[in-house]
Amino acid sequence: MSEQDLVRGRCVVVTGGGNGIGRAIARKMAAQGARVVVGDLDSAAAERVAAEVGGVAVGGDVSTDEGVARLLSAAAGRVDIFFANAGVGVGKGIDTPDADWHTAIEVNVLAHVRAARALIPDWLESGGGRFVVTASAAGLLTMLGSAPYSVSKHAAVAFAEWLSVTYGHRGITVQALCPQGVRTKMLDDSGEFRDLLSHDVALEPEQVAEVVWEALHDDRFLILPHPEVQRYYETRAGRTDAWLTGMRKLQKRFDDAAVTHNG
């Protein structure tokens, strides 16, 4: 199979496709010949990207069953690849309101569950499909300053792992995209932790989309646009106490800097 034949003429759905990584993936898939459905809570953004790629725009909340149904209906047939890319970064510490926890779990985890629930039965009957979850390096490591984001992204990775184990032998490929710093609005809104997320290299969304395209060809589970995340992940697993000690030191630096800044 040639590179283009991987997606040429196939239906690709991208949630959170109106901006950032989602927009870059939608453009890359369309450039390779895919029919693209762009979903986004921001209907105007979805329409702009759909116009760019010659695709279909669907505005709405993909964390709901109704939103997923609308998205799949717009595909007008079989969905070959589903990019569960929509995500939110809300809340900070343990004082985060329950409403923000609820939003993080709904969008960063249950949206994937609902999409998989709708897609997998058809994929099992028709010979397979591909489900790609955007989970973030926070889902492999942690995210200083945001408990809801860290916890929900860990859950997103765990769900993707479970899907892979459960359905991988039945023709369904599952992958988890786990970038670190990417030049998106979410990075811009990360406040004092922006420099941390950009410590290694803050990539452009288009660079992430290129890595995704490469990963579609070898079916690797973890898609790591920042290769150093693999090393961090291995350290966390193999030397957990040392990893936690280092992260606590990093947290202390931010705490001390905040005290200094606040006088």
Side-chain angles (χ1 to χ4, degrees):
M1 179 184 294
S2 70
E3 283 199 351
Q4 286 76 15
D5 288 342
L6 182 67
V7 299
R8 188 191 300 276
R10 298 176 186 269
C11 181
V12 174
V13 175
V14 184
T15 70
N19 295 283
I21 293 173
R23 175 175 180 263
I25 289 174
R27 295 177 69 185
K28 180 64 179 181
M29 295 302 110
Q32 299 298 331
R35 297 182 294 109
V36 180
V37 177
V38 182
D40 204 287
L41 188 61
D42 183 340
S43 299
E47 290 169 3
R48 285 194 298 270
V49 175
E52 287 181 35
V53 304
V56 177
V58 180
D61 185 355
V62 295
S63 71
T64 67
D65 288 322
E66 295 79 7
V68 170
R70 287 187 61 207
L71 198 61
L72 299 186
S73 177
R78 173 181 165 82
V79 173
D80 296 286
I81 305 177
F82 190 93
F83 285 96
N85 173 76
V88 293
V90 294
K92 293 186 177 181
I94 57 174
D95 56 345
T96 296
D98 286 357
D100 285 347
W101 276 100
H102 178 78
T103 297
I105 297 298
E106 286 287 330
V107 178
N108 294 345
V109 185
L110 291 179
H112 309 328
V113 174
R114 291 172 180 131
R117 185 186 292 149
L119 289 163
I120 285 178
D122 289 339
W123 282 350
L124 291 175
E125 290 186 5
S126 63
R130 185 182 300 266
F131 195 87
V132 185
V133 170
T134 299
S136 166
L140 300 177
L141 308 172
T142 195
M143 177 64 183
L144 297 183
S146 180
Y149 189 78
S150 182
V151 170
S152 60
K153 290 300 186 178
H154 273 73
V157 172
F159 180 63
E161 287 178 337
W162 185 88
L163 286 178
S164 179
V165 169
T166 305
Y167 298 109
H169 67 293
R170 300 177 69 181
I172 295 175
T173 301
V174 182
Q175 296 172 287
L177 170 60
C178 298
Q180 198 164 266
V182 182
R183 297 187 189 283
T184 64
K185 186 177 185 300
M186 190 175 290
L187 179 64
D188 291 338
D189 291 344
S190 59
E192 67 270 27
F193 293 99
R194 188 179 189 280
D195 289 342
L196 171 64
L197 294 171
S198 307
H199 172 71
D200 294 300
V201 175
L203 299 178
E204 296 296 335
E206 290 74 19
Q207 292 175 285
V208 175
E210 287 297 329
V211 176
V212 169
W213 175 244
E214 293 169 6
L216 296 187
H217 293 81
D218 61 21
D219 296 340
R220 72 190 81 156
F221 176 71
L222 288 180
I223 306 175
L224 303 178
H226 297 79
E228 58 273 11
V229 170
Q230 180 71 43
R231 174 167 52 86
Y232 301 156
Y233 187 41
E234 290 170 357
T235 300
R236 175 182 175 270
R239 300 173 55 222
T240 304
D241 288 323
W243 168 258
L244 289 172
T245 296
M247 292 300 285
R248 284 193 292 266
K249 288 179 180 177
L250 191 56
Q251 180 67 60
K252 184 177 184 302
R253 279 173 45 196
F254 280 103
D255 291 346
D256 291 346
V259 170
T260 300
H261 177 76
N262 293 327

